[in-house]
Amino acid sequence: MAVKKKSEKESVEPTNEKRAKLEAYTDDAQGQPLRTNTGAAINDDQNTLKAGERGPSLLEDFIFREKIMHFDHERIPERVVHARGSGAHGVFKLYESLSEFTKAGFLNDTEIETPVFVRFSTVAGSRGSTDLARDVRGFAVRFYTQEGNFDLVGNNMPVFFIQDAIKFPDLIHAVKPEPDNEIPQAASAHDTFWDFISLTPESAHMIMWLMSDRAIPRSLRMMEGFGVHTFRLVNAQGVASFVKFHWKPLLGVHAVAWDEAQNISGKDPDFHRRDLWDCIESGAFPEWELGVQIVPEEDEFKYDFDLLDSTKIIPEELVPVQRIGKLTLNRNPDNFFAETEQIAFHLGHIVPGIDFTNDPLLQGRLFSYTDTQLLRLGGPNFHQLPINKPIVPVYNNQRDGFSRQNIDSGKTSYSPNSLGNNYPSQVKKADGGYTSYPERIDARKVRARSDSFRDHFSQARLFFNSQSDPEKDHIVQAFSFELGKVKTIAVRERMLGILSLVDKGLAAQVAVALGLNVPRPPEQPVNHIFGADTDPAAVQPVQVDSSIKKSAALSMAGTIKDSIQTRKIAILAADGVDEKAVAAVKNAIEAEGGVVEIVSSRLGFITGINDQKIQVDDTTLTTASVLFDAVYVPGGSNSIADVEADANAIHFLNEAFKHCKPIAFDLRAVQVLEATYFSKKATLDEGVIIDENLSKLAERFIAAIKLHRFWERERSRKIPA
Ligand code: HDE
């Protein structure tokens, strides 16, 4: 798919297409007078009503008071977690019917295109915080099905920090900015977080994911998604199976480098939001396949982990992921507040054919989401906001309350009634009336955790062992960074103790960075997950020797795709550039769906050696290499001299090298290469491409961009901090 260049979109003269779009944005207001909220036409929106031109303002100015009052009340409480988010509309299309396992209509009929809205988010930061924090990403999908809304409110990591919802406020209080000084924003690298984690061994698996590059995605479009909990599917015969949901991005799973993430946070804190928006605007629609892992009900106790424990995955080697349909995001919201901010997700938004399990984390969430919306959206009628309305008409006997949008007609709002023929009436099972799966429960009422939840380390180890060497290095560096920011030595040491139970080598490497010794392996870590009257010795974590030692699906390294779709490539050029050298690479990249920007030392147009004018998209001052996937320097002696003399351009190249990106030089531009710190032969690798044959150069460059990053560079070459 061809992707539009930024220069096309931002040219001074709007194209017809753009003009039409601009008009569409303001369509409703076209030709309309400005009015107050009660309909009075406004004659002067520029001046308050005053006693004389230089006199005091008058209290009776209802136009002013209404406008300011509304403005004063524009903010609503941000989400207590996942406050920072970006959303988009799209569609879901099923590949093949799943009727063997579920009666849910949208998972049965391959002809249906189900509308969806997706909201991606970070967890810890405030609504205005950076996109590139090291954090879990929310991946919440609403399906507007013909049987009602189904919300799959997941994350980009398949497990969670805690096993029981009652610990959620503790976890979140620990990760949020510390309460005395509200520092740090959108960061887990501080004492309270690691204090809590080091005392909560059940978090060991999740912490490995959080310290991996999954926590710093290259794009929201390049993340996996997971429903996390085990859910239940129920077919038309009432037979149930367990299910885990997955989203697999068609562009592969890719990350940025940590140093890069920190730089992006300054250069463009909206990096992920902008990337999602721009790609949808340009027609390069993000796509994921929906996957399911299905476990027959009789296999509930087959595994050495508990299906109800959200700190565990089902390794794909044990139960393969079956890809059943495709999600395509194809439309940006018209209004961020009305849609992305007001969407109210909830696990309890469910349709016949899908049901819950007793996962204690899932069960707790079933309470929390509606409760939080009541505060955030100001009352019980948030389901009537346009973004929350199901596509099926809704009639019931609920009435009134803050911000009721419906005008409910008729006399009856109770049942049974005879005055309204007892409508709306209940629906038979066979006609789609929701019935809960009649799971047998025969138990004592206890506050306790199942013994089957006591293995906290084997899957953490499985995750670590499944990573490529560069991925392992990044995990070591992430722990070293995060614990290095912790001030309390005892917390650092306790965390090293936990790490030694995951992998001794990992703990030893982090200990070196912290200048500490790994404490003598605690026979068992401190464990606070049981009540005050429980004997701690009787409930220590257990070590399970998992049958699976490695799982390919856990590493991002194996997800490289044969594509450069939507990758952003900078061309560093100045007056006197060889137009042919620009065109050869630019055209080849654009033909494969990559996005090229011309970066120079100033805006406007540069003039090539053959007098061709080339529009500059960005300058070395207004952009940075961290905002691109790769960089190319074309020939043309004057251009080369200018690029070489521009310290920002050389920094651009040095940084691209440091972040392991592909860099291409037209052989005639080798003088620019020589001005970089990595020019020495010893530091060059296959990611640095030099060629005099321009079509060869383009071909080799594209092949390198497909590989995303040359992470090995960090291991074998000297890269300055
Ligand atoms: Fe959430 N979570 N959560 N969470 N969560 C919220 O609901 C909560 C958990 C997730 O884009 C809140 O509307 C509890 C797991 C996403 O609007 C709140 C527990 C997973 C989003 C809430 C969890 C998630 C939320 C805040 C412990 C992955 C953003 C605002 C049991 C499977 C949805 C809101 C959006 C949002 C509670 C754990 C994902 C407070 C009590 C596990 C993606 O209700």
Side-chain angles (χ1 to χ4, degrees):
M1 187 185 311
V3 175
K4 259 185 246 154
K5 297 165 288 156
K6 190 174 169 205
S7 54
E8 266 172 36
K9 289 203 287 162
E10 289 192 352
S11 60
V12 186
E13 259 303 291
T15 58
N16 283 344
E17 195 189 328
K18 189 168 181 192
R19 211 173 280 128
K21 186 102 208 249
L22 282 173
E23 277 159 18
Y25 282 142
T26 47
D27 227 6
D28 289 352
Q30 294 308 294
Q32 294 293 323
L34 185 67
R35 292 184 193 276
T36 65
N37 288 332
T38 45
I42 295 173
N43 166 261
D44 184 342
D45 185 43
Q46 320 301 325
N47 301 292
T48 44
L49 188 67
K50 299 182 206 73
E53 281 162 14
R54 301 182 59 253
S57 300
L58 299 180
L59 194 58
E60 77 166 66
D61 187 352
F62 63 96
I63 295 179
F64 166 81
R65 275 188 290 114
E66 179 195 88
K67 184 173 176 181
I68 295 292
M69 176 279 292
H70 199 277
F71 169 76
D72 290 346
H73 294 256
E74 273 177 7
R75 292 292 170 272
I76 62 171
E78 64 176 33
R79 289 165 174 82
V80 59
V81 284
H82 296 266
R84 169 80 186 169
S86 307
H89 293 271
V91 291
F92 173 73
K93 196 84 203 291
L94 190 69
Y95 292 152
E96 55 186 284
S97 174
L98 213 63
S99 59
E100 186 187 344
F101 302 105
T102 175
K103 60 185 175 195
F106 82 107
L107 295 179
N108 276 207
D109 188 344
T110 52
E111 296 301 307
I112 298 178
E113 238 186 31
T114 306
V116 298
F117 189 86
V118 178
R119 184 174 179 274
F120 302 106
S121 46
T122 53
V123 178
S126 300
R127 193 177 143 185
S129 58
T130 172
D131 281 341
L132 264 289
R134 174 177 293 284
D135 203 349
V136 188
R137 297 301 182 287
F139 193 131
V141 183
R142 165 163 302 160
F143 297 82
Y144 297 89
T145 87
Q146 292 167 7
E147 295 162 306
N149 290 351
F150 169 57
D151 289 355
L152 185 54
V153 197
N155 280 343
N156 76 329
M157 298 176 189
V159 289
F160 203 63
F161 298 91
I162 48 172
Q163 294 172 321
D164 190 309
I166 201 169
K167 298 308 295 169
F168 193 64
D170 300 282
L171 165 73
I172 300 303
H173 287 171
V175 71
K176 284 273 182 183
E178 297 187 3
D180 50 355
N181 54 16
E182 227 194 25
I183 299 174
Q185 178 56 244
S188 52
H190 59 110
D191 284 48
T192 55
F193 179 68
W194 289 100
D195 185 27
F196 176 81
I197 292 297
S198 62
L199 293 169
T200 308
E202 72 204 68
S203 65
H205 188 190
M206 180 64 168
I207 281 301
M208 299 302 295
W209 285 81
L210 189 69
M211 292 302 110
S212 80
D213 291 349
R214 303 256 182 173
I216 39 173
R218 156 65 180 86
S219 160
L220 301 169
R221 304 171 293 111
M222 298 173 196
M223 314 190 298
E224 286 182 303
F226 304 90
V228 176
H229 313 284
T230 303
F231 289 85
R232 224 186 275 271
L233 295 179
V234 186
N235 70 14
Q237 290 72 45
V239 178
S241 324
F242 294 106
V243 65
K244 292 252 191 209
F245 292 106
H246 297 246
W247 292 109
K248 302 271 190 187
L250 293 192
L251 292 178
V253 190
H254 302 291
V256 298
W258 176 231
D259 176 71
E260 191 182 0
Q262 293 173 83
N263 275 300
I264 295 173
S265 290
K267 297 281 183 187
D268 185 7
D270 304 303
F271 184 71
H272 283 155
R273 179 179 284 182
R274 190 187 309 284
D275 164 274
L276 181 68
W277 181 276
D278 285 353
C279 281
I280 294 176
E281 285 299 289
S282 71
F285 300 143
E287 294 172 318
W288 288 261
E289 285 181 318
L290 177 63
V292 286
Q293 284 178 297
I294 295 179
V295 176
E297 201 169 37
E298 57 272 22
D299 288 353
E300 180 170 2
F301 302 108
K302 184 174 159 187
Y303 305 105
D304 53 16
F305 53 87
D306 196 325
L307 289 177
L308 302 187
D309 174 359
S310 274
T311 66
K312 303 295 183 302
I313 56 163
I314 308 178
E316 293 190 23
E317 286 70 15
L318 295 182
V319 181
V321 174
Q322 200 182 322
R323 299 185 183 217
I324 60 164
K326 192 165 83 176
L327 164 70
T328 306
L329 297 182
N330 56 16
R331 181 161 66 86
N332 278 317
D334 289 316
N335 183 283
F336 182 91
F337 179 81
E339 301 177 270
T340 311
E341 195 59 13
Q342 292 202 123
I343 192 161
F345 287 102
H346 177 31
L347 264 76
H349 296 160
I350 203 143
V351 290
I354 305 180
D355 209 329
F356 314 117
T357 60
N358 299 331
D359 171 349
L361 202 64
L362 186 163
Q363 294 276 321
R365 294 179 73 196
L366 288 174
F367 165 75
S368 178
Y369 288 69
T370 326
D371 188 47
T372 208
Q373 312 307 349
L374 281 174
L375 174 69
R376 211 168 61 76
L377 299 169
N381 288 316
F382 53 85
H383 59 282
Q384 293 184 347
L385 295 168
I387 193 69
N388 291 325
K389 262 192 178 164
I391 55 173
V392 283
V394 172
Y395 296 97
N396 57 38
N397 292 320
Q398 296 166 27
R399 289 293 184 273
D400 308 347
F402 280 113
S403 308
R404 186 78 176 170
Q405 317 276 312
N406 282 6
I407 300 180
D408 303 295
S409 59
K411 277 189 190 306
T412 56
S413 52
Y414 56 89
S415 174
N417 73 62
S418 66
L419 302 183
N421 299 320
N422 205 23
Y423 280 114
S425 64
Q426 302 175 149
V427 177
K428 291 207 165 93
K429 249 193 235 178
D431 297 331
Y434 191 92
T435 49
S436 291
Y437 180 68
E439 182 185 5
R440 188 181 177 84
I441 295 181
D442 176 13
R444 278 183 204 287
K445 200 194 289 181
V446 289
R447 281 189 192 276
R449 212 169 287 193
S450 169
D451 265 357
S452 54
F453 280 37
R454 276 169 55 191
D455 163 29
H456 305 317
F457 301 107
S458 65
Q459 287 206 352
R461 194 173 308 123
L462 168 68
F463 179 79
F464 190 62
N465 288 341
S466 303
Q467 304 303 302
S468 65
D469 286 341
E471 284 173 311
K472 282 186 178 163
D473 289 348
H474 292 176
I475 291 173
V476 170
Q477 286 158 19
F479 274 114
S480 306
F481 177 92
E482 296 264 322
L483 294 172
K485 293 272 188 181
V486 166
K487 300 275 179 288
T488 313
I489 306 283
V491 170
R492 291 184 184 156
E493 280 177 337
R494 196 162 53 223
M495 203 51 224
L496 287 174
I498 294 270
L499 289 185
S500 70
L501 291 165
V502 176
D503 185 278
K504 293 211 161 47
L506 165 65
Q509 288 182 76
V510 178
V512 169
L514 298 178
L516 293 171
N517 294 319
V518 180
R520 256 192 332 120
E523 290 80 68
Q524 288 298 352
V526 188
N527 195 356
H528 291 274
I529 63 172
F530 297 94
D533 287 328
T534 313
D535 171 10
V539 288
Q540 287 302 347
V542 295
Q543 290 278 3
V544 171
D545 191 17
S546 173
S547 50
I548 306 228
K549 306 287 177 214
K550 268 190 177 190
S551 173
L554 302 181
S555 163
M556 296 162 61
T559 68
I560 304 270
K561 301 280 183 244
D562 185 22
S563 161
I564 63 160
Q565 273 272 334
T566 73
R567 296 313 171 101
K568 282 185 80 176
I569 292 90
I571 298 186
L572 295 182
D575 282 329
V577 70
D578 178 356
E579 295 94 338
K580 274 202 230 94
V582 172
V585 171
K586 186 170 186 277
N587 296 344
I589 288 173
E590 287 178 351
E592 299 222 14
V595 181
V596 174
E597 288 193 9
I598 304 289
V599 178
S600 193
S601 56
R602 57 162 178 78
L603 285 172
F605 289 85
I606 53 177
T607 310
I609 35 174
N610 297 314
D611 280 346
Q612 217 177 299
K613 296 239 179 275
I614 301 175
Q615 188 173 340
V616 176
D617 296 299
D618 250 317
T619 72
T620 48
L621 189 68
T622 58
T623 192
S625 97
V626 293
L627 307 179
F628 292 87
D629 292 293
V631 47
Y632 164 55
V633 187
S637 46
N638 285 347
S639 170
I640 294 165
D642 275 9
V643 171
E644 190 195 348
D646 178 357
N648 286 337
I650 300 303
H651 179 66
F652 198 111
L653 290 162
N654 285 339
E655 232 183 9
F657 184 81
K658 178 180 179 185
H659 299 142
C660 304
K661 295 175 183 175
I663 307 173
F665 293 91
D666 177 345
L667 183 65
R668 292 162 303 160
V670 84
Q671 180 186 330
V672 177
L673 168 64
E674 277 155 13
T676 66
Y677 76 80
F678 59 88
S679 60
K680 290 187 204 70
K681 269 229 159 61
T683 57
L684 297 182
D685 58 35
E686 328 72 85
V688 181
I689 297 138
I690 308 157
D691 216 311
E692 61 179 328
N693 177 330
L694 292 173
S695 61
K696 260 261 168 58
L697 180 75
E699 198 182 303
R700 289 174 58 203
F701 191 33
I702 287 171
I705 300 168
K706 285 180 182 170
L707 296 176
H708 183 57
R709 296 295 170 90
F710 291 80
W711 296 123
E712 295 291 339
R713 198 180 282 168
E714 292 171 330
R715 305 201 115 206
S716 50
R717 328 277 160 184
K718 283 212 166 86
I719 294 185

